Amino acid sequence: MPRLAYVNGRFVPHRHAVVHIEDRGYQFADGVYEVVPVFYARLIDEEAHLDRLERSLSELQISMPKPRKIMQMLSAELIRRNQLTYGFIYTQVTRGVAPRDHKFPKAARPSLVMTVRQMKPHTEAELQRGATVITVPDQRWQRRDIKSISLLPNCLAKQQAVEAGAAEAWQVDPDGTVTEGSSTNAWIITADNKLVTRKADHSILNGITRLSLIEAVKAAGLEFEERPFTVEEAYQAREAFFTSSTNLVMPVVRIDDQAVGNGYPGILTMRLRQLYLDYVTGAPGEARN
Ligand code: PDD
């Protein structure tokens, strides 16, 4: 069965899915994106992802390419046509096609591209190994809350992590506080069992996994604080983990050359992962009310 993508009004085989060379996404990274996880052929937190897409677009004065209901129909159709059970839908919206000129074009219509990717869930062995993280300076712009397709600093950070044998790079502001990973949000659990993650202002992307986990954490009555934490504090943390649509809740066992806790995935982290899974699969757990 050929993998299908949706490109500006048409479903096309993935290998023939192309955009114009003067698309402003291609020339200026003038666009935004969303990655929506799919579990059991069902989109997770679709409304929240669409809310963030709308917000990112409005911050850049790009209009929604289609009404929300149509976007939802297109996603459902892509899942159906690709028989996607586990993976994600990638949605990208750019300002559209126009002769190259920095200022906004008057007439361009936003481009909409949607693709799917199958993904295997992390195995138990992968989870038990956990992830290692390095820290790198945060080289990004000051509107990290916008889910812009301009990801060059994130790619450089991730590549640096890979070359160091790590899974993720935690980016650090000049004041020594961790902002977030190159494609994930960063969390620690302090020695007195407090969950800490950075407040979602302009300094980070407000992850949808982050938001859902916060709901689950509150419902479970766990102690939780939204504030910046330093690299030093992360080294001393009892547990650490990162969240994203493709990783869900991933334990961190090492940060730079420091083992986190005893160097194994934390007990509370694994419990949070289960809380989140209960939430996304609709299991009758503590996470749902
Ligand atoms: N990345 N921070 C950054 C910089 C991200 O790129 C992402 C997501 C997150 C987590 O957000 P969410 O929980 O909504 O996935 C945080 C996606 C998955 C990506 O670029 O592939």
Side-chain angles (χ1 to χ4, degrees):
M1 192 192 65
R3 186 171 159 208
L4 292 176
Y6 174 88
V7 183
N8 289 323
R10 290 192 312 141
F11 289 98
V12 288
H14 191 89
R15 63 182 186 285
H16 298 314
V18 291
V19 292
H20 195 279
I21 53 165
E22 285 201 304
D23 191 288
R24 286 179 65 96
Y26 183 58
Q27 294 193 319
F28 294 116
D30 186 0
V32 303
Y33 75 106
E34 279 298 324
V35 174
V36 188
V38 173
F39 270 67
Y40 306 110
R42 217 165 49 87
L43 286 158
I44 305 305
D45 285 334
E46 185 184 19
E47 294 290 348
H49 281 279
L50 284 167
D51 287 346
R52 188 172 65 185
L53 179 68
E54 266 182 23
R55 179 179 180 280
S56 294
L57 287 170
S58 97
E59 291 298 302
L60 300 179
Q61 299 167 52
I62 301 175
S63 51
M64 269 291 262
K66 304 265 179 218
R68 189 180 265 245
K69 274 271 165 280
I70 303 289
M71 302 282 284
Q72 286 171 316
M73 278 169 56
L74 291 172
S75 294
E77 195 55 20
L78 272 179
I79 292 174
R80 195 183 68 75
R81 291 194 190 205
N82 288 287
Q83 294 179 15
L84 184 68
T85 48
Y86 186 83
F88 59 84
I89 293 196
Y90 175 84
T91 300
Q92 177 170 310
V93 182
T94 71
R95 202 178 301 278
V97 175
R100 187 177 181 280
D101 186 356
H102 289 64
K103 67 179 183 294
F104 296 172
K106 288 222 163 63
R109 274 190 303 134
S111 300
L112 171 62
V113 170
M114 297 168 91
T115 54
V116 302
R117 174 97 67 89
Q118 306 266 4
M119 217 173 48
K120 285 204 176 74
H122 288 297
T123 62
E124 199 50 40
E126 282 169 337
L127 285 172
Q128 287 311 324
R129 264 199 305 279
T132 57
V133 159
I134 60 162
T135 56
V136 299
D138 197 327
Q139 306 194 78
R140 298 173 300 161
W141 70 332
Q142 287 171 19
R143 289 303 308 273
R144 303 158 190 163
D145 55 310
I146 298 172
K147 199 162 170 61
S148 154
I149 58 173
S150 171
L151 291 171
L152 192 50
N154 309 56
C155 295
L156 293 174
K158 185 79 96 195
Q159 182 60 23
Q160 204 178 325
V162 168
E163 286 173 14
E168 179 58 303
W170 279 6
Q171 302 167 103
V172 180
D173 262 351
D175 66 359
T177 60
V178 173
T179 54
E180 62 186 328
S182 68
S183 62
T184 57
N185 288 116
W187 299 64
I188 57 167
I189 300 170
T190 61
D192 53 352
N193 273 327
K194 251 191 214 124
L195 270 148
V196 181
T197 196
R198 197 172 176 114
K199 188 162 161 281
D201 48 24
H202 288 181
S203 68
I204 62 163
L205 183 78
N206 193 359
I208 303 302
T209 321
R210 172 189 180 280
L211 284 172
S212 292
L213 187 65
I214 290 174
E215 285 308 306
V217 160
K218 284 184 182 159
L222 298 169
E223 273 207 75
F224 162 70
E225 259 181 65
E226 271 180 304
R227 63 163 175 83
F229 58 85
T230 62
V231 174
E232 209 45 54
E233 207 180 350
Y235 290 159
Q236 305 303 326
R238 169 169 290 184
E239 298 183 23
F241 61 93
F242 55 73
T243 55
S244 79
S245 295
T246 46
N247 287 281
L248 316 181
V249 176
M250 175 57 74
V252 171
V253 295
R254 177 170 287 274
I255 303 171
D256 296 327
D257 53 3
Q258 304 281 323
V260 177
N262 59 9
Y264 292 95
I267 290 169
L268 183 52
T269 299
M270 295 310 267
R271 188 176 153 218
L272 290 169
R273 185 179 165 87
Q274 192 54 50
L275 272 183
Y276 181 77
L277 284 173
D278 291 347
Y279 166 79
V280 295
T281 57
E286 297 161 85
R288 288 236 169 209
N289 44 25

